[in-house]
Amino acid sequence: MIRKFITAGFALALSASSSLAATEITWWHAMGGEVGQKLEEIAKKFNESQTDYVVKPVYKGTYPETLTATIAAFRAGEQPAIAQIFEVGTGTMMAAKGAVYPVYKLMADQGELFEPASFIAPVVGYYTDIEGNILSMPFNSSTPILYYNRDVFKKAGLDPEVAPKTWAEVEDFSRKIVTSGAAKCGFTSAWITWIQTENLSAIHDQPFGTLENGFGGTGAEFTFNGPVQVRHWGNLKKWADEGLFQYGGPAGGDDAATKFYAQECAMTMNSSAGRSGVIKNAKDFTPGFAPLPYYDNVTKEPKNSIIGGATLWVLNGQSDDVYKGVAKFFTYLSEPQLQADWHQYTGYLPITNAAYELGRKQGYYEKNPGSEIALGQITRGTPSANSKGVRFGNLTQARIIVDEEFQALLAGSKDAQQALDSAVQRGNELLREFEAAN
């Protein structure tokens, strides 16, 4: 009995010693719900795969809240090792001199293999500096797509196999849906900023700002008040007045998803990362998936859509042991099996070529029609200076301004030109403030 007690105690002591010896890596993130649980599962499996490091995920709220918390923590000297920052915060993070440990340097310093060519082109293009170095670790990337209710289409006399390709067809389909009584509204949309302004500009090869949409550095200005953007905002106002379009709310537009799931609106535009959520919540109808529409009298060959989602930024101020563990964790995150599983579960893009090829060999795309639409759209054609993305400091705050001006348009206090002119002017004031502060 005594011998068994001593043996058990010795094993317990060894376990405690092993646990104490493991280097802790704090990972702040912005993923709640089922996707957040999947993220925690990834960390748990990494922790179980070795005994030297323990990754501890900490949910910090929404993307903007996580960015704000990260900046405040760094100023207080209490920053995590890893922070998940959405693409809108890229310009802000790049300007935070001394705060960031670039991932390409981290991996080289720690002797971990890190090949930019292994990632899909849109990811590499957005998160690199002017020398082509990847600054943060790609993790969850997305792009917006069109979702539609196949059952409502059928009730309205439309072919449920055919989604609208152009904005003229969106208007025509919406009118048939509403007049037939198949649904109260034709379409809604999340993210007036990201989808109906930034992506609209990219797809039609229109500049969103100067200096290659901010990629050329500070000194850039917003220019998204051009004829195409003004025409589109004017159409959204007209369609709203006619009952064809319903506003989904500011920022991510939670009301858009609610209206779509309730079959109040037959179509919605939202992140490709919401695909799994749409499939789960479309309990009483069959959803369809399609690329974003475009104006065919502006372009016959729409450009690629632009990236959304987030990457993992490594922050300075940690120990060498922590950085060694972070590098090991990033190598783990890049494994094709893990990336394919993450992509297929969440709806985020397969960020590596190997993950996509694995999914193709598994027959995932054949078994899940529509699951390749986002990837096909974001890799469509050759990216131009207008379609590779937008990168500006204070972009989070600028998006708030865009939402405010769109609401003024819907309220009738401004027309489309006035609303976009005001958004550009106010946004440029934010850019000058950012430059002065950095």
Side-chain angles (χ1 to χ4, degrees), residues 18-346:
S18 175
S19 177
L20 289 172
T23 299
E24 185 175 305
I25 299 166
T26 305
W27 176 14
W28 285 7
H29 68 90
M31 312 202 91
E34 291 181 351
V35 178
Q37 292 173 11
K38 187 68 173 178
L39 179 150
E40 291 184 356
E41 177 188 306
I42 289 172
K44 182 174 181 287
K45 287 184 176 179
F46 170 75
N47 294 341
E48 292 171 348
S49 72
Q50 43 72 55
T51 57
D52 295 326
Y53 310 100
V54 175
V55 172
K56 292 198 171 182
V58 179
Y59 175 65
K60 298 300 288 186
T62 64
Y63 278 142
E65 288 169 346
T66 303
L67 174 61
T68 300
T70 299
I71 293 170
F74 190 84
R75 288 172 178 166
E78 299 172 351
Q79 67 272 25
I82 306 169
Q84 182 191 31
I85 305 296
F86 64 154
E87 93 286 356
V88 178
T90 300
T92 300
M93 295 299 288
M94 288 180 68
K97 304 291 186 185
V100 172
Y101 190 172
V103 71
Y104 77 92
K105 190 173 188 307
L106 165 79
M107 300 301 272
D109 290 348
Q110 301 301 331
E112 293 290 326
L113 183 64
F114 187 67
E115 292 288 346
S118 67
F119 297 97
I120 62 173
V123 171
V124 177
Y126 191 82
Y127 293 107
T128 54
D129 60 17
I130 56 175
E131 283 83 33
N133 298 310
I134 298 183
L135 303 176
S136 53
M137 181 67 189
F139 180 59
N140 58 300
S141 294
S142 61
T143 200
I145 62 172
L146 172 74
Y147 298 90
Y148 68 99
N149 185 320
R150 295 162 64 94
D151 296 355
V152 167
F153 269 43
K154 193 172 182 179
K155 289 177 186 176
L158 298 167
D159 187 343
E161 301 296 329
V162 180
K165 292 181 180 179
T166 67
W167 278 106
E169 290 179 344
V170 170
E171 180 179 13
D172 179 50
F173 285 24
S174 295
R175 204 173 298 282
K176 288 177 179 177
I177 287 163
V178 173
T179 56
S180 69
K184 291 181 180 178
C185 97
F187 75 101
T188 183
S189 179
W191 297 107
I192 294 300
T193 50
W194 181 44
I195 300 175
Q196 305 301 341
T197 313
E198 294 166 24
N199 267 281
L200 175 95
S201 302
I203 287 171
H204 294 88
D205 205 12
Q206 302 295 306
F208 192 83
T210 61
L211 296 181
E212 299 189 4
N213 286 351
F215 276 72
T218 55
E221 293 190 338
F222 291 122
T223 60
F224 54 83
N225 55 343
V228 174
Q229 294 97 332
V230 170
R231 172 188 175 185
H232 186 57
W233 273 38
N235 280 339
L236 290 174
K237 165 62 173 170
K238 181 188 77 167
W239 295 331
D241 290 345
E242 294 176 357
L244 304 181
F245 164 68
Q246 286 188 13
Y247 180 47
D254 290 341
D255 287 349
T258 301
K259 292 174 186 291
F260 184 63
Y261 295 148
Q263 303 193 67
E264 185 176 341
C265 293
M267 295 175 277
T268 188
M269 287 162 238
N270 211 332
S271 170
S272 60
R275 187 175 180 277
S276 59
V278 167
I279 292 171
K280 179 182 177 183
N281 287 285
K283 297 176 181 177
D284 300 320
F285 66 93
T286 303
F289 314 93
L292 293 177
Y294 61 94
Y295 290 99
D296 59 348
N297 55 2
V298 175
T299 180
K300 298 298 182 185
E301 296 182 0
K303 285 287 187 182
N304 59 285
S305 57
I306 59 178
I307 207 163
T311 54
L312 307 182
W313 291 79
V314 183
L315 303 177
N316 281 324
Q318 307 292 330
S319 69
D320 288 342
D321 285 343
V322 166
Y323 290 133
K324 187 176 288 295
V326 171
K328 295 285 185 188
F329 180 52
F330 284 179
T331 295
Y332 177 81
L333 287 181
S334 301
E335 292 178 2
Q337 187 65 50
L338 185 149
Q339 276 299 324
D341 178 61
W342 170 254
H343 151 61
Q344 293 169 20
Y345 178 85
T346 63

